[in-house]
Amino acid sequence: MLARKSIIPEEYVLARIAAENLRKPRIRDQPRKARFIAKSGACNLAHKNIREQGRFLQDIFTTLVDLKWRHTLVIFTMSFLCSWLLFAMMWWLVAFAHGDMDASTENCTSITKWTPCVTCVRSFTSAFLFSIEVQVTIGFGGRMMTEECPMAITVLILQNIVGLIINAVMLGCIFMKTAQAHRRAETLIFSRHAVIAVRNGRLCFMFRVGDLRKSMIISASVRIQVVRKTTTPEGEIIPIHQQDIPVDNPLESNNIFLVAPLIICHVIDKRSPLYDISASDLVNQDLELIVVLEGVVETTGITTQARTSYIAEEILWGHRFVPIVTEEEGVYAVDYSKFGNTIKVAAPRCSARELDEKPSILIQTLQKSELSHQNSLRKRNSMRRNNSMRRNNSMRRNNSSLIVPKVQFITPEGNQSVCET
């Protein structure tokens, strides 16, 4: 049987497919650079090929605290179950060695001449229940120790000591996981974007930080580091080169009073790694600015740390944060809905080095912004005038349409009367 041929010629179909492929440009997304610190503050770092795994067991408490909650709860449950089962086996062996499993001692309530090590322990199940009663100090009263077996007394002492150790370690681990310092950092927020604008005649790198809780962070301090890939004159490649940049703080103690959201400012001067970067160069820069906020929690006294980072795509040139703190009825109110909002302002597009060499660039930029502001005001005034004139004309037309015409009526006597309707 012959294959069925298409109605449309094959040459036409191939030409059409080729033309469609030419029309659609192929855009390949550039691979995004992995950031060192995520916006949430987590370190984007994976440890591989660690040979000395035993070092983690040397600090077992920190290892337990660093585990995930599901792993911690499994270890918490299994530690108690294993200890109960272990000592249940020991109690069963003590009872079996002493002969408490004989048929003559099956009735634990009967008074006989035989004195067991532990009363009413006739099987492994009863030994397991007695192990739980000893370690958790329940004491239902049905099973109890006697003076017959010194070995049983030794097992009792040993189980009490082991139970106290397990309680101390596991409860301490649970407490430390619930009271970790990074939990407090969840309410310390940073602005989504950072900005570069002119402040006091200098280009400045700025971002906003705030605290959502009423309890304050004592002795709060902010550090900024620039992480980039650099190459030394000898040809050595440093993939993560860290460099501290100073923060403009008028206080001598270098601490901030974080009672309300603050704008942290870094003046781009000769010491800054952003000194030679202009607005056009910022897009192509392979850098990451890491912000670290440290302080002591007022309620617990634990030192906490909040982190975030800004890459080149998250830095807005020529923007400024809008004010969010207002005074209402004698109380300062903070509008967190505008926490990360910015507005465009006049800022030179050149680098800070060029601005220091040619201060006239800043003056020209400010003059241009002033002229554009005046022109926008004139346009607004002219638009308001035109709108007011249109409204007046429309009102006049409406009033003219509402004028009542005069009508004359002639009576049979020949008198004329004028009425308005």
Side-chain angles (χ1 to χ4, degrees):
M1 185 175 181
L2 297 175
R4 183 178 180 181
K5 294 184 179 180
S6 176
I7 300 175
I8 303 175
E10 186 177 358
E11 294 80 4
Y12 178 76
V13 174
L14 294 176
R16 185 175 180 181
I17 293 174
E20 290 179 355
N21 291 334
L22 290 175
R23 292 172 188 173
K24 297 179 181 179
R26 297 180 180 180
I27 300 175
R28 296 181 180 179
D29 296 335
Q30 296 181 355
R32 297 185 62 183
K33 175 182 175 294
R35 59 197 311 158
F36 190 58
I37 299 293
K39 296 298 290 183
S40 61
C43 296
N44 188 19
L45 188 66
H47 299 278
K48 297 182 178 180
N49 301 326
I50 300 177
R51 298 179 180 179
E52 299 180 0
Q53 298 287 343
R55 291 181 177 270
F56 295 99
L57 297 178
Q58 295 178 2
D59 188 8
I60 186 63
F61 186 78
T62 305
T63 304
L64 291 175
V65 174
D66 291 339
L67 290 176
K68 295 182 180 180
W69 268 107
R70 56 178 179 267
H71 299 155
T72 303
L73 294 177
V74 169
I75 294 174
F76 180 85
T77 306
M78 294 303 298
S79 61
F80 285 102
L81 286 177
C82 292
S83 64
W84 294 340
L85 289 172
L86 175 63
F87 284 100
M89 180 64 67
M90 295 178 69
W91 287 117
W92 184 83
L93 291 174
V94 169
F96 180 79
H98 191 256
D100 298 341
M101 302 295 179
D102 296 339
S104 59
T105 61
E106 287 183 359
N107 190 4
C108 62
T109 59
S110 62
I111 301 174
T112 60
K113 295 181 180 180
W114 180 261
T115 304
C117 294
V118 181
T119 59
C120 299
V121 174
R122 302 182 304 271
S123 62
F124 182 78
T125 304
S126 59
F128 179 73
L129 294 175
F130 180 71
S131 175
I132 296 175
E133 293 179 18
V134 170
Q135 188 165 336
V136 190
T137 65
I138 297 176
F140 292 112
R143 286 169 286 269
M144 62 181 178
M145 286 281 302
T146 62
E147 302 175 356
E148 186 68 21
C149 304
M151 182 58 67
I153 298 174
T154 304
V155 174
L156 177 65
I157 295 172
L158 182 62
Q159 185 173 6
N160 286 327
I161 294 174
V162 173
L164 289 175
I165 293 174
I166 294 176
N167 289 334
V169 173
M170 298 311 301
L171 293 179
C173 177
I174 296 296
F175 173 76
M176 290 302 297
K177 285 187 71 67
T178 55
Q180 281 183 338
H182 68 271
R183 302 296 179 186
R184 179 63 176 87
E186 296 294 333
T187 53
L188 297 174
I189 57 176
F190 299 88
S191 58
R192 182 73 179 176
H193 296 86
V195 299
I196 294 179
V198 178
R199 174 181 281 190
N200 298 327
R202 305 294 298 272
L203 278 177
C204 297
F205 170 83
M206 294 174 287
F207 61 93
R208 178 173 277 167
V209 61
D211 188 6
L212 299 179
R213 290 187 180 273
K214 292 184 178 180
S215 59
M216 295 177 56
I217 299 295
I218 304 172
S219 301
S221 60
V222 177
R223 294 185 293 109
I224 306 176
Q225 289 185 348
V226 174
V227 177
R228 61 170 61 181
K229 183 178 179 181
T230 59
T231 304
T232 61
E234 294 79 13
E236 180 185 1
I237 298 176
I238 303 176
I240 303 175
H241 177 68
Q242 302 180 15
Q243 182 180 357
D244 287 332
I245 59 177
V247 178
D248 185 19
N249 193 354
L251 301 178
E252 296 179 357
S253 60
N254 201 24
N255 294 332
I256 59 175
F257 187 53
L258 197 59
V259 66
L262 299 177
I263 298 176
I264 307 300
C265 177
H266 159 65
V267 179
I268 304 177
D269 53 8
K270 296 180 179 179
R271 301 174 297 172
S272 175
L274 307 176
Y275 189 61
D276 296 324
I277 298 177
S278 62
S280 58
D281 299 335
L282 182 62
V283 181
N284 302 322
Q285 289 295 320
D286 186 11
L287 57 85
E288 181 179 356
L289 283 86
I290 299 175
V291 179
V292 179
L293 172 63
E294 293 180 340
V296 179
V297 182
E298 183 181 18
T299 54
T300 60
I302 301 175
T303 303
T304 185
Q305 185 182 91
R307 300 179 296 267
T308 191
S309 66
Y310 299 99
I311 57 178
E313 289 81 3
E314 297 171 348
I315 302 175
L316 304 178
W317 194 291
H319 284 247
R320 182 184 299 164
F321 289 104
V322 298
I324 60 175
V325 180
T326 57
E327 186 176 358
E328 299 177 358
E329 298 180 357
V331 178
Y332 289 98
V334 181
D335 186 5
Y336 281 99
S337 63
K338 303 177 182 179
F339 183 81
N341 294 357
T342 60
I343 56 174
K344 288 186 177 181
V345 293
R349 309 290 292 179
C350 62
S351 63
R353 178 185 292 275
E354 296 177 359
L355 189 61
D356 291 342
E357 294 175 354
K358 299 178 180 179
S360 60
I361 298 177
L362 179 59
I363 300 174
Q364 294 175 0
T365 304
L366 295 177
Q367 289 177 353
K368 289 181 181 179
S369 65
E370 184 67 23
L371 290 174
S372 62
H373 181 66
Q374 291 179 0
N375 292 332
S376 63
L377 289 178
R378 291 174 183 173
K379 290 181 180 179
R380 290 179 184 176
N381 293 332
S382 61
M383 291 177 63
R384 289 176 181 175
R385 292 174 183 174
N386 294 332
N387 292 332
S388 61
M389 292 176 64
R390 290 175 183 174
R391 290 176 184 174
N392 294 331
N393 294 332
S394 62
M395 290 176 66
R396 290 175 183 176
R397 291 175 183 175
N398 294 332
N399 294 332
S400 62
S401 62
L402 293 175
I403 295 176
V404 180
K406 294 182 179 180
V407 182
Q408 293 182 356
F409 293 95
I410 301 174
T411 59
E413 290 80 4
N415 295 331
Q416 294 182 357
S417 62
V418 180
C419 297
E420 293 182 359
T421 59

